[in-house]
Amino acid sequence: MSEAHPRKTVAVGDLALSYREAGTGPALVLLHGIGSNSGSWIHQLAALGADHRVIAWDAPGYGRSDPLANARPAPADYADHLAAALDALGIATADVVGHSFGALVAAAFARRHPARIGRLVLSHPAVGFGAAADAPLPEGAAARVRDLETLGPKGLAEKRAARTCGPHAAPEVIDLTRRVMGEIRPEGYRAANHLLARGDLLADLAGLDLPIRVMAGTADPITPEARCRDVAARLPGADYVDLGEVGHPSYAEVPERYNEALRRFLRRNR
Ligand SMILES: O=C(O)CCC(=O)CC(=O)O
C-alpha cells in the first residue's frame, strides 16, 4: 500500500513514530481517522506533494508507531507527541488537516501549540464528548472496541469498513478502506477511542484566531453532514465546503475534489 511513499520513522522521546512524506515546500500535516492510518492518504501524498512538504503521520499505536504509555490518553498526549515529531522533522509551523478523530488531535494541537499552526482543515470532524479520564466509553466507541475484541482487526474491517463509504464509492475505495482498517492495532485503537471520548473539538478551538475550513459529505454515516455544518457555524470565521454525496473516506472517494478544496484554502493568505 502506498509504496510510492514508504513509511519512515522519527524518534520522539521514548517512542518511535512512523509517517509518510512527499514533496518539498510549506509543511502540510495530515492526521488520519480512527479506523485508518497514513496509508489512507495515498491520493493526497501523490498530488499535494507537488507544492508542499506533506507529512502523513501514523498516530501513536497505528501503522508502525509505538503506542502511548497511557492507555487512556488525553488529547494533549497526542498533540504534544505531534509537536515533538514536527520538532524532530525540523518543522516549525504547518498547515494541518485532521480527518474525523484526526480533527480532535488537530484541535488539541491548535490549543496547545497555537503558534505552530497556520491553517486548519477539519475533514468530516469528530467532535468528542469532553468526558472525564475515568468515564466509561460512550456507546459508539464502546461498540467499536467490542467489535475489535470479538472479531479482531480483519473482522472489524469486514464488518465496518464498507459501511463508512458513500453510495458511489468505487470498489477500490472500499478495498483501501478495508485494508487500512484491517491494520488496526488493538492498543492504538482502544486509546484512540478514549481520546474520542475525552476530546472536545469546539472547546479546544474556542477563541483561537485561526483560518478554519470544515469539509464533509452528504452521505457520511459516521460524521453526519448536519453536525459538520454545525461545527463550521460555531467557529467564527470558519467556512464549510460541501464535498457532495460522498461517505466518510471522501479523500479517497473524490480525491480530486478533496484536494482542490484543500488547495484553494491553502492558497489563502493569513
Ligand atoms: O466507526 C467506525 O466504524 C469507523 C470509523 C472510521 O473509519 C473513521 C476513520 O477512520 O476515518
Side-chain angles (χ1 to χ4, degrees), residues 202-221:
L202 292 171
D204 273 344
L205 294 176
L208 294 185
D209 179 21
L210 188 63
I212 299 177
R213 168 159 287 184
V214 182
M215 322 205 298
T218 61
D220 182 347

Side-chain angles (χ1 to χ4, degrees), residues 32-37 40 99-101 140 144 156 160-161 164 177 181 189 222 248-249 251:
H32 60 78
I34 202 161
S36 311
N37 64 43
S40 301
H99 180 77
S100 197
F101 146 85
R144 272 195 297 272
L156 176 91
R160 286 181 171 265
T164 69
T177 310
M181 197 180 281
Y189 193 62
I222 306 295
H248 198 60
Y251 48 79

Side-chain angles (χ1 to χ4, degrees), residues 8-216:
K8 304 179 192 180
T9 303
V10 65
V12 174
D14 290 344
L15 303 190
L17 295 183
S18 55
Y19 65 100
R20 298 177 199 267
E21 177 168 12
T24 55
L28 175 64
V29 172
L30 307 177
L31 306 175
H32 60 78
I34 202 161
S36 311
N37 64 43
S38 63
S40 301
W41 296 111
I42 46 176
H43 301 290
Q44 287 66 44
L45 285 159
L48 301 173
D51 37 24
H52 287 86
R53 181 181 179 194
V54 185
I55 303 288
W57 88 333
D58 291 309
Y62 283 76
R64 294 206 200 101
S65 289
D66 291 334
L68 294 168
N70 183 356
R72 287 177 170 242
D77 293 324
Y78 290 85
D80 293 353
H81 278 84
L82 176 60
L86 297 183
D87 286 342
L89 294 172
I91 295 172
T93 59
D95 294 324
V96 177
V97 179
H99 180 77
S100 197
F101 146 85
L104 284 172
V105 177
F109 178 73
R111 164 64 51 197
R112 291 181 66 80
H113 305 280
R116 304 198 62 177
I117 185 162
R119 302 169 193 81
L120 172 62
V121 177
L122 304 172
S123 163
H124 303 243
V127 294
F129 293 85
D134 55 355
L137 284 178
E139 183 42 34
R144 272 195 297 272
V145 171
R146 269 199 308 276
D147 278 350
L148 176 70
E149 281 160 1
T150 52
L151 306 171
K154 297 273 185 260
L156 176 91
E158 279 307 316
K159 177 172 174 183
R160 286 181 171 265
R163 289 186 195 168
T164 69
C165 298
H168 309 298
E172 55 271 24
V173 173
I174 298 174
D175 280 353
L176 171 73
T177 310
R178 195 181 285 125
R179 254 187 301 133
V180 173
M181 197 180 281
E183 293 170 7
I184 278 174
R185 290 166 37 216
E187 266 177 303
Y189 193 62
R190 278 192 217 102
N193 276 285
H194 281 286
L195 168 75
L196 204 59
R198 290 185 69 180
D200 189 336
L201 182 101
L202 292 171
D204 273 344
L205 294 176
L208 294 185
D209 179 21
L210 188 63
I212 299 177
R213 168 159 287 184
V214 182
M215 322 205 298

